[in-house]
Amino acid sequence: MTTSKPTLFLEIENLIKELNYQTISNERKEVLQQLTDFIQSKVSENQEIRINFICTHNSRRSHLSQVWAQTMANYFNIKNVFCYSGGTEATALFPLVAVTLQNSGFQINTISKNDNPVYSIKYADNEHPIIGFSKKLDDDFNPKSEFAAIMTCDSANEACPFVPGAEKRIPITFEDPKAFDNTPQQAEKYKERSLQIATEMFYVFSQINS
């Protein structure tokens, strides 16, 4: 019995088709290879794949990584992939991250408005939304064991040499778009970082033999 490929929102599909992973350097592909290997080993053993993207504040890069990884798993029809995000401390999902994702075709709804808003982030009509809010890496929302911890920023990578429960700890760091907050380049730099993460997650999941 064959299963039909899930359908993403058209705007997201079109964006993905324009991504060019040839722009990823060989050095960067080596960095990404550990995540590819982790996913492939789980797929080959027919096991669930849990990936927790970790940054200092769980406000920008870790959320973009979580959302794009979950989306790419769906795009390539890789089953049983569950993506999470967390921080060494909790702050709030930066509003421009939600705007950047919305501009890429995601449906964003604010579930609660407070100091740490909760967002529903949908990439397809018939898939569960990703629940986006800032949380510590060991929050009850996140897995306790049998997951890969992906360190998306240098400071979290240095501050967390050990992630409790993680089966693998893999540094895949990205430059922080926060450096351009309150500048004329802010929106452009958030889009640039989002597209970089999308391209790299596309590359990772495109390598998986399911």
Side-chain angles (χ1 to χ4, degrees), residues 53-196:
F53 294 92
I54 297 167
C55 204
T56 305
H57 299 121
N58 191 210
S59 57
R60 294 168 174 81
R61 290 164 285 181
S62 48
H63 279 110
L64 289 170
S65 301
Q66 175 191 6
V67 169
W68 277 117
Q70 193 71 62
T71 302
M72 293 305 174
N74 187 282
Y75 181 77
F76 286 103
N77 207 16
I78 311 295
K79 303 296 187 185
N80 298 316
V81 176
F82 303 95
C83 296
Y84 307 85
S85 66
T88 53
E89 59 184 277
T91 54
L93 192 156
F94 191 64
L96 192 55
V97 170
V99 172
T100 301
L101 289 169
Q102 192 164 32
N103 290 342
S104 296
F106 292 87
Q107 287 185 2
I108 311 286
N109 287 301
T110 306
I111 298 172
S112 74
K113 296 180 180 179
N114 50 36
D115 290 342
N116 184 5
V118 179
Y119 298 89
S120 162
I121 305 166
K122 286 201 77 169
Y123 53 86
D125 275 325
N126 294 331
E127 299 297 324
H128 283 296
I130 297 160
I131 304 302
F133 66 100
S134 186
K135 71 203 84 65
K136 289 186 74 172
L137 60 94
D138 59 355
D139 188 274
D140 285 343
F141 216 76
N142 289 339
K144 301 302 179 195
S145 64
E146 298 177 353
F147 65 92
I150 310 302
M151 315 310 286
T152 63
C153 73
D154 286 327
S155 56
N157 187 35
E158 291 162 9
C160 274
F162 172 73
V163 178
E167 196 174 311
K168 281 270 187 184
R169 182 189 174 284
I170 306 169
I172 302 178
T173 60
F174 301 95
E175 289 184 16
D176 194 353
K178 181 182 180 180
F180 295 91
D181 285 1
N182 304 311
T183 74
Q185 300 151 283
Q186 184 177 17
E188 173 197 341
K189 289 296 180 180
Y190 274 78
K191 179 181 178 182
E192 180 183 294
R193 191 61 57 243
S194 178
L195 289 176
Q196 179 203 354

Side-chain angles (χ1 to χ4, degrees), residues 33-48:
Q33 189 62 45
Q34 286 188 73
L35 177 55
T36 303
D37 292 344
F38 174 81
I39 297 167
Q40 185 63 66
S41 69
K42 294 293 185 182
V43 168
S44 299
E45 295 168 15
N46 201 26
Q47 294 178 346
E48 291 186 344

